[in-house]
Amino acid sequence: MSAAPLTARQLQVHDFISEHLRRAGYPPTIREMAAHFGVTPRAIHCRLILMKKKGAIAWDSRISRGITLLPLAGRLGTPVSLPGALFFPVT
């Protein structure tokens, strides 16, 4: 897990996953994300690998919809301090 901030595109993917989880109750598939962003499934796969390395998601690529969002320290590398706040991964 790296402390490197998410790129703007990775943040867009993170936000899309978050919104999909909020609306549907489960994460999107790679194909759904690729269709939304107008890219290939391989491009989404590569972004998810990097997001996992940066600690933004937990992802089991062997499972359809196997993405879990992890709390971000901040958006685009900006640290956020919330005294007394508890973060729970979305499962």
Side-chain angles (χ1 to χ4, degrees):
M1 184 181 335
S2 171
L6 295 180
T7 65
R9 288 194 190 250
Q10 290 167 353
L11 192 56
Q12 289 174 343
V13 172
H14 188 279
D15 290 345
F16 178 75
I17 296 168
S18 178
E19 179 61 22
H20 194 282
L21 278 165
R22 188 189 66 73
R23 280 187 299 103
Y26 49 84
T29 65
I30 289 178
R31 288 181 188 263
E32 289 169 339
M33 288 185 274
H36 175 80
F37 290 105
V39 298
T40 64
R42 179 70 182 155
I44 294 295
H45 187 268
C46 291
R47 288 181 189 150
L48 293 176
I49 289 171
L50 292 173
M51 291 170 68
K52 182 178 179 179
K53 287 181 181 178
K54 291 180 179 185
I57 62 170
W59 178 42
D60 186 344
S61 61
R62 300 168 297 174
I63 300 172
S64 179
R65 304 183 192 274
I67 300 168
T68 302
L69 290 180
L70 301 176
L72 294 177
R75 297 178 67 81
L76 294 175
T78 306
V80 173
S81 175
L82 299 172
L86 297 175
F87 292 99
F88 299 99
V90 177
T91 57

